[in-house]
Amino acid sequence: MVQGGRDQLVDISSDWLVVNRRERNTMEKFSIWKNTLWPGDDGGFHNITQRSPKLLSYLKPQTSIHSMPLTVVLHGPAGVGKTTVAKQLMLDWTQDDQAETSNSAFYLSCKDLNHKGTCTFAELISANGPDLQDAVPGILTQARKILFVIDGFDELRVPSGALIHDICGDWKKQKPVPVLLGSLLKRKMLPRSTLVITTRPGALRGLRLLVEQPLFIEIEGFLELDRKAYFLKHFEEETQALRAFELTKKNAALFRMGSAPAVCGIVCTCLKRQMERGEDPASTCRTTTSLFLRFLCSQFTAARSSCPSDCLQAPLKSVCLLAAEGTWTQTSVFDAEDLRRLGVQESALCPFLDKNILQKSEDCEACYSFIHLSVQQFLAAMFYVLETEEEDVGGHRCHVGDVQELLSKEGRLENPNLTQVGYFVFGLSNKERAMELEATFGCLVSTEVKQQLLRCRSVPHGKKPFSAADAKELLCCLYESQEEKLVEDAMAPVTEISIRLTNTLEMTQSSFCLKHCQNLQKISLQVGKRIFLENDTTLKSDAQIESSNKNLNFLDVRESFLSQSSVRILCEQITHVTCHLQKVVIKNVSPADAYRDFCLAFIGKKSLTHLVLEGSVHGDEMLLLLLCEILKHPRCNLQYLKLGSCSDTPQRWADFSSALKINQSLKCLDLTASEFPDEGVKLLCSTLRHPMCFLQKLSLENCHLTEACCEELSSALIVNQRLTHLCLAKNNLGVGGVKILCEGLSYPECQLQTLVLCHCNINRRGCKYISKLLQGDSSLTDLDLGFNPIATGLCFLSEALKKPNCNLKCLGLWGCSITPFSCQDLASALIRNQSLETLDLGQNILGQSGIMVLLEALKQKNGPLKTLRLKIDKSTMEIQKLLKDVKESNPQLTIECNNARTARSLCCNFLS
């Protein structure tokens, strides 16, 4: 018998297997995996659902060598059957009807390889079958007929680089085992043989660097239907089975663990005992910690009379030390040497062997392992929370980090198994659970662990906001504790958080923690599909973030799939008297009518000053009408409104224009990508001319405006003395449109300071009109002409920059087809200009000559320029010297030489 996986047994009598055609056994094929990853495009993989026969057809030796994937990687979490599948493939490999000679399959356990010394490759594979040593040389000459199973790659313990150093192809040479294994993986040794490698996901990254064009197959273990069938079989009563199954399913983390048969058994055993005692198992399934603790304690509760709790203290501390050591060293099997080094007596393991929490290896008499990795992780967490005296571990060499190392990003990246241990430590910090532990085992739980957890997970004041990944990690840890005071203390410094919900458990975790985050000011939220369901009774208790956080003033919901009931509840919270939201962003959410519901909630909301609505608002006839109600309400204090991609009838735009005349609070209006009928543009410009229009900033980017619209805009600019910022980017205004705009801008009554004309089809002729405007008494200080084919039109702009009455401070010329020929004019202008502080020339091919002309000009004068953006394709010694000289003569000047546009022009961000 050979152990198959961490908790399964497969009937294979030897680690080496040769089966002749006449002697083969008929065995049922496995079908326990799906989502097979095939080498190919799309990042190197394709998702295909495959079953065992399909895989075997690729492994069979008679398959063409050119199409056969020679390396197969079976990956998946602990206990899902990777070893079982691999050993099944060994048997199937030897059942080749068309082979003239027998096929051979060898099994190499990485756990065993850790203990082997220098030998030849032939000696390595025949170590467990000395009688086969004479046959091995003949077998190895037919590499295409050989299958090697390398089991548990994640448990291999070799120095860094050992698998790629000194690799060789001679199976008769004496080499260290890591060299032999690396030679096999790198295809130096027996390159035509077939490899099947099993590993947990954490080691996949390192394995990818070793193997060439592998076939990756994810072993999923129990699928949902399998788990449900397991529950139905385990419980006598179907109603109890279904109740337990649904409770488990609500906890995504616990349900995911249940893909391993061993964990499924633990869950069923624990919940069945509770139900038999008439207890409600709902609280047990709330967190993984509560279930594993209840399982562990229930194993020993019945034995208290025969074995008092005080006699369990030493055994418990021994197995916890063993579990922690194994988790840190990524070891799942412990031998006599491990026990001796840690000072653990074999007799101390007996209570846990009796309860099948520990298992004795059938291959090695003095070797032990836990029934599943999750049990080992849970006991490892207990190591941190139990009161420990110095003599418990003093004098013994163990490799266990402290709490800070356990929760560090670096530690978890290097050893992913630590992540779950960290969750369990938070779970065991709960006072009630500590009492249950103490009552069962007689061990005191440390009171210091909470403070250690707080130090590791609390956010220092002034730290940057959480990323979505960091927030997810924090909320998961805190929810696991179910300790409200701990959550309050940990979340006290948090003022801004970003949450991305992918399942209902994450929603529950977020709700639990955010209710106790009293200083939260901003929350950004993304909700995945099928999380909020219609008529979900849990929503009312779980969605009360707004009303319970009095300081919350910024809500950002985007890329989210909501339900009508969740939108209704959220709107109820928004209208609540204790809700003081000031800024709200609703972007790309469904259902589409959610925007209407939000608008209804915003009517009369005095605290609301900023509102962004983008996404499914195109063609919504009611949306503009509701926005009109918001703007006309006497309590409206809205100052910033962005309405993206809106299109409506002329009458609706007329209503909207009328509302703008009534409203006296709105200062910024962004209608980017909205579709205006000609009448709509006239109505908006009529509003701009109205004496009661208080708009200061307006964006009509990508609104399909043409030269004809510029007449209306120009006349509005002449009359309106409040508008200071105007964005007309991505509208085909052309030369005629620019000419008309410049006429209006030239009037002294016009107070416009910032004008954005990116992507407006402005050429050399258009630059003449702009130049004339800048040479007058224009109030313009910021001008963005990015992505217009102005080319040699730069000479006209340069003439304007030379004039002393040119007030321009920011000029954006990103991607304007400017050539080296035009740089001389610009250089001359920079020497004489008295006002320009920012110049963006990025993404223009200026050449070495053009760049040197500009830098020479900047070196001569310490002018007002503070920021210059250039594209330097090739940085020569001359350019490097000039850059240094410019820095010395203009220390306040920053020159950005990167090719990528790190941010939009300063002129473009005026609505933010």
Side-chain angles (χ1 to χ4, degrees):
M1 300 284 282
V2 179
Q3 190 168 4
R6 313 300 183 256
D7 59 342
Q8 296 173 317
L9 297 177
V10 178
D11 286 317
I12 295 183
S13 58
S14 172
D15 287 349
W16 179 83
L17 188 68
V18 177
V19 181
N20 292 321
R21 286 178 297 155
R22 298 185 302 275
E23 300 170 346
R24 70 179 185 275
N25 298 315
T26 302
M27 299 189 69
E28 184 179 350
K29 303 294 183 184
F30 278 80
S31 58
I32 64 172
W33 60 77
K34 99 188 226 191
N35 295 331
T36 305
L37 302 175
W38 299 91
D41 298 324
D42 191 22
F45 304 103
H46 287 303
N47 286 326
I48 304 175
T49 299
Q50 293 292 331
R51 299 176 79 85
S52 182
K54 177 70 173 178
L55 175 59
L56 262 298
S57 69
Y58 279 83
L59 287 179
K60 283 296 184 182
Q62 68 268 20
T63 308
S64 168
I65 184 119
H66 298 294
S67 62
M68 182 172 65
L70 297 177
T71 302
V72 176
V73 178
L74 307 177
H75 65 95
V80 294
K82 300 182 294 295
T83 303
T84 301
V85 174
K87 291 188 174 181
Q88 175 66 57
L89 290 174
M90 289 177 67
L91 294 175
D92 289 334
W93 174 267
T94 61
Q95 299 173 20
D96 183 4
D97 293 325
Q98 301 178 18
E100 295 180 1
T101 58
S102 58
N103 301 324
S104 306
F106 294 89
Y107 176 82
L108 297 173
S109 166
C110 289
K111 288 183 292 187
D112 295 339
L113 295 183
N114 290 329
H115 304 289
K116 294 187 181 294
T118 300
C119 62
T120 67
F121 188 76
E123 291 169 345
L124 179 68
I125 63 176
S126 61
N128 292 331
D131 54 322
L132 299 170
Q133 290 182 2
D134 295 337
V136 165
I139 293 170
L140 295 182
T141 59
Q142 302 181 65
R144 279 192 64 191
K145 309 286 286 182
I146 303 175
L147 168 68
F148 290 102
V149 169
I150 302 169
D151 190 30
F153 179 79
D154 54 287
E155 295 190 306
L156 192 65
R157 300 291 167 262
V158 296
S160 177
L163 294 174
I164 58 174
H165 177 69
D166 194 29
I167 59 175
C168 75
D170 188 348
W171 48 265
K172 293 175 287 187
K173 273 191 176 181
Q174 293 268 337
K175 292 284 182 180
V177 166
V179 172
L180 298 176
L181 184 60
S183 302
L184 185 63
L185 292 170
K186 295 292 288 183
R187 294 289 172 191
K188 185 74 172 178
M189 185 81 69
L190 304 173
R192 300 181 71 187
S193 63
T194 297
L195 305 181
V196 172
I197 307 164
T198 73
T199 184
R200 293 174 189 167
L204 274 178
R205 185 176 180 181
L207 187 57
R208 290 175 194 268
L209 302 176
L210 288 170
V211 296
E212 298 178 5
Q213 296 184 329
L215 166 68
F216 286 93
I217 300 175
E218 182 180 2
I219 306 298
E220 291 190 326
F222 276 176
L223 302 181
E224 182 172 337
L225 288 176
D226 301 323
R227 276 168 264 190
K228 189 173 184 179
Y230 191 101
F231 274 71
L232 288 169
K233 186 176 181 180
H234 194 90
F235 287 80
E236 286 83 6
E237 295 185 23
E238 182 178 340
T239 53
Q240 287 189 342
L242 294 177
R243 161 96 169 130
F245 180 75
E246 289 303 321
L247 286 172
T248 307
K249 194 174 177 182
K250 286 183 179 180
N251 185 329
L254 185 60
F255 194 66
R256 188 166 53 247
M257 284 183 178
S259 63
V263 177
C264 224
I266 289 171
V267 173
C268 287
T269 299
C270 180
L271 299 185
K272 184 180 179 182
R273 285 181 178 175
Q274 272 197 278
M275 289 181 173
E276 287 173 347
R277 292 196 296 265
E279 299 174 3
D280 185 1
S283 60
T284 300
C285 293
R286 188 171 295 144
T287 67
T288 52
T289 305
S290 57
L291 187 133
F292 276 84
L293 178 63
R294 184 59 58 87
F295 167 76
L296 183 66
C297 291
S298 67
Q299 297 293 304
F300 293 95
T301 301
R304 283 181 187 168
S305 57
S306 59
C307 182
S309 59
D310 56 354
C311 75
L312 292 173
Q313 291 183 27
L316 179 63
K317 291 182 177 180
S318 293
V319 295
C320 288
L321 175 60
L322 207 62
E325 161 88 6
T327 303
W328 276 93
T329 60
Q330 301 185 61
T331 302
S332 62
V333 177
F334 308 91
D335 57 23
E337 172 57 26
D338 294 322
L339 301 184
R340 184 197 62 75
R341 177 172 51 81
L342 296 172
V344 174
Q345 301 294 323
E346 286 194 57
S347 59
L349 306 181
C350 290
F352 294 89
L353 286 168
D354 293 341
K355 299 298 181 180
N356 202 35
I357 292 168
L358 270 175
Q359 293 179 333
K360 204 167 187 177
S361 172
E362 296 193 10
D363 297 328
C364 177
E365 186 177 347
C367 290
Y368 302 90
S369 62
F370 294 91
I371 55 170
H372 189 261
L373 174 64
S374 58
V375 175
Q376 180 176 336
Q377 291 168 328
F378 180 75
L379 289 166
M382 288 180 62
F383 172 82
Y384 289 95
V385 302
L386 295 178
E387 287 279 11
T388 307
E389 298 180 10
E390 284 296 321
E391 57 266 23
D392 289 338
V393 291
H396 302 293
R397 185 165 48 90
C398 63
H399 307 90
V400 180
D402 59 21
V403 172
Q404 185 173 352
E405 292 172 298
L406 174 70
L407 299 179
S408 70
K409 275 188 178 181
E410 297 76 16
R412 288 180 287 119
L413 281 172
E414 187 177 337
N415 184 355
N417 291 335
L418 297 179
T419 301
Q420 185 58 52
V421 178
Y423 295 157
F424 281 141
V425 173
F426 269 91
L428 291 169
S429 67
N430 180 281
K431 187 176 181 180
E432 292 181 4
R433 293 170 188 164
M435 292 172 62
E436 188 173 359
L437 258 182
E438 292 173 355
T440 304
F441 295 98
C443 296
L444 293 177
V445 173
S446 170
T447 56
E448 296 180 5
V449 68
K450 285 186 183 180
Q451 294 305 316
Q452 292 175 331
L453 294 176
L454 274 176
R455 283 195 294 270
C456 296
R457 277 290 176 264
S458 61
V459 186
H461 289 278
K463 188 179 178 181
K464 291 182 179 179
F466 277 117
S467 68
D470 289 340
K472 180 179 178 180
E473 175 75 12
L474 175 69
L475 299 180
C476 184
C477 288
L478 294 176
Y479 177 79
E480 195 71 23
S481 74
Q482 292 292 295
E483 191 76 42
E484 294 186 3
K485 184 64 170 63
L486 178 65
V487 177
E488 287 178 6
D489 292 343
M491 298 294 284
V494 179
T495 58
E496 184 174 335
I497 197 166
S498 179
I499 298 174
R500 188 179 297 121
L501 301 179
T502 59
N503 57 56
T504 53
L505 176 62
E506 290 175 0
M507 178 183 70
T508 305
Q509 291 170 343
S510 300
S511 177
F512 176 80
C513 295
L514 294 180
K515 286 176 186 177
H516 304 290
C517 187
Q518 297 302 318
N519 297 317
L520 187 66
Q521 297 176 19
K522 178 182 178 180
I523 178 171
S524 300
L525 180 65
Q526 292 185 38
V527 182
K529 291 183 179 180
R530 295 182 294 277
I531 294 176
F532 290 122
L533 305 176
E534 294 303 333
N535 302 317
D536 191 341
T537 56
T538 63
L539 283 174
K540 288 188 178 180
S541 60
D542 285 341
Q544 297 178 359
I545 297 170
E546 279 67 42
S547 64
S548 61
N549 289 271
K550 309 298 188 298
N551 296 311
L552 189 68
N553 57 51
F554 196 153
L555 175 64
D556 185 341
V557 183
R558 62 180 70 204
E559 319 300 334
S560 293
F561 298 86
L562 307 177
S563 64
Q564 290 181 345
S565 54
S566 63
V567 172
R568 184 183 68 253
I569 292 170
L570 188 54
C571 288
E572 288 174 0
Q573 298 300 321
I574 289 173
T575 57
H576 200 278
V577 68
T578 58
C579 175
H580 304 294
L581 282 176
Q582 297 174 15
K583 298 181 180 181
V584 176
V585 176
I586 309 294
K587 185 174 182 179
N588 297 328
V589 304
S590 63
D593 55 8
Y595 292 90
R596 300 183 192 177
D597 295 329
F598 284 120
C599 283
L600 281 170
F602 297 144
I603 295 175
K605 190 72 178 175
K606 188 176 181 180
S607 63
L608 188 67
T609 59
H610 288 64
L611 176 60
V612 176
L613 300 174
E614 290 187 90
S616 306
V617 298
H618 186 85
D620 190 333
E621 296 180 0
M622 290 294 295
L623 193 60
L624 267 185
L625 190 62
L626 291 169
L627 282 171
C628 291
E629 294 301 314
I630 293 174
L631 293 170
K632 290 189 295 184
H633 197 282
R635 289 172 58 84
C636 178
N637 193 33
L638 200 62
Q639 298 173 25
Y640 176 100
L641 173 62
K642 181 173 184 179
L643 182 62
S645 305
C646 183
S647 65
D648 216 320
T649 63
Q651 181 57 50
R652 289 284 183 263
W653 285 115
D655 295 337
F656 186 70
S657 298
S658 298
L660 290 176
K661 294 174 185 176
I662 296 172
N663 181 280
Q664 296 186 21
S665 64
L666 195 66
K667 301 295 187 293
C668 302
L669 177 61
D670 188 345
L671 297 173
T672 296
S674 294
E675 293 183 15
F676 285 98
D678 291 341
E679 188 64 27
V681 176
K682 289 182 180 180
L683 290 166
L684 183 61
C685 291
S686 172
T687 301
L688 291 174
R689 289 192 291 267
H690 196 278
M692 296 305 292
C693 177
F694 290 87
L695 283 180
Q696 297 175 6
K697 301 179 181 182
L698 174 65
S699 176
L700 299 175
E701 180 177 335
N702 193 25
C703 286
H704 309 283
L705 304 182
T706 60
E707 181 179 328
C709 301
C710 293
E711 290 281 2
E712 295 288 340
L713 283 169
S714 182
S715 65
L717 291 173
I718 294 172
V719 176
N720 188 299
Q721 295 188 18
R722 293 190 178 97
L723 196 68
T724 58
H725 295 61
L726 178 63
C727 177
L728 300 175
K730 298 182 181 178
N731 290 291
N732 189 19
L733 305 181
V735 177
V738 170
K739 179 183 177 183
I740 295 169
L741 279 175
C742 288
E743 289 173 358
L745 290 167
S746 64
Y747 278 75
E749 292 82 4
C750 178
Q751 299 299 310
L752 201 71
Q753 298 172 15
T754 298
L755 178 63
V756 181
L757 297 174
C758 299
H759 287 285
C760 287
N761 195 24
I762 301 171
N763 57 20
R764 174 186 170 90
R765 289 174 55 208
C767 289
K768 292 181 67 175
Y769 300 114
I770 295 173
S771 176
K772 183 180 177 181
L773 170 68
L774 296 176
Q775 292 180 56
D777 292 324
S778 169
S779 58
L780 271 185
T781 58
D782 298 78
L783 177 63
D784 193 345
L785 298 173
F787 296 103
N788 285 296
I790 68 171
T792 54
L794 181 61
C795 65
F796 300 118
L797 298 177
S798 298
E799 283 301 314
L801 291 173
K802 294 176 185 177
K803 302 299 181 182
N805 57 345
C806 177
N807 297 316
L808 212 58
K809 293 183 178 181
C810 175
L811 177 60
L813 298 172
W814 175 277
C816 286
S817 306
I818 298 172
T819 63
F821 177 78
S822 304
C823 289
Q824 187 63 58
D825 293 325
L826 184 58
S828 176
L830 291 175
I831 293 173
R832 298 172 58 180
N833 182 269
Q834 302 296 319
S835 62
L836 196 65
E837 296 178 357
T838 300
L839 177 60
D840 188 348
L841 297 173
Q843 212 58 29
N844 288 290
I845 303 175
L846 305 180
Q848 181 172 343
S849 60
I851 290 170
M852 291 186 69
V853 166
L854 292 173
L855 295 179
E856 285 286 358
L858 293 171
K859 186 177 73 168
Q860 294 178 30
K861 179 194 174 189
N862 185 355
L865 198 64
K866 296 179 181 178
T867 303
L868 173 63
R869 185 179 290 162
L870 292 170
K871 178 184 179 183
I872 301 180
D873 291 319
K874 186 177 181 181
S875 183
T876 62
M877 293 290 290
E878 293 90 340
I879 290 177
Q880 288 296 323
K881 184 178 184 304
L882 277 173
L883 285 170
K884 184 178 179 181
D885 292 343
V886 170
K887 187 64 180 175
E888 290 177 356
S889 61
N890 284 291
Q892 84 284 356
L893 176 61
T894 299
I895 300 178
E896 299 177 7
C897 299
N898 53 315
N899 293 339
R901 194 174 193 179
T902 55
R904 297 186 70 187
S905 170
L906 297 177
C907 307
C908 292
N909 292 331
F910 65 83
L911 284 175
S912 60

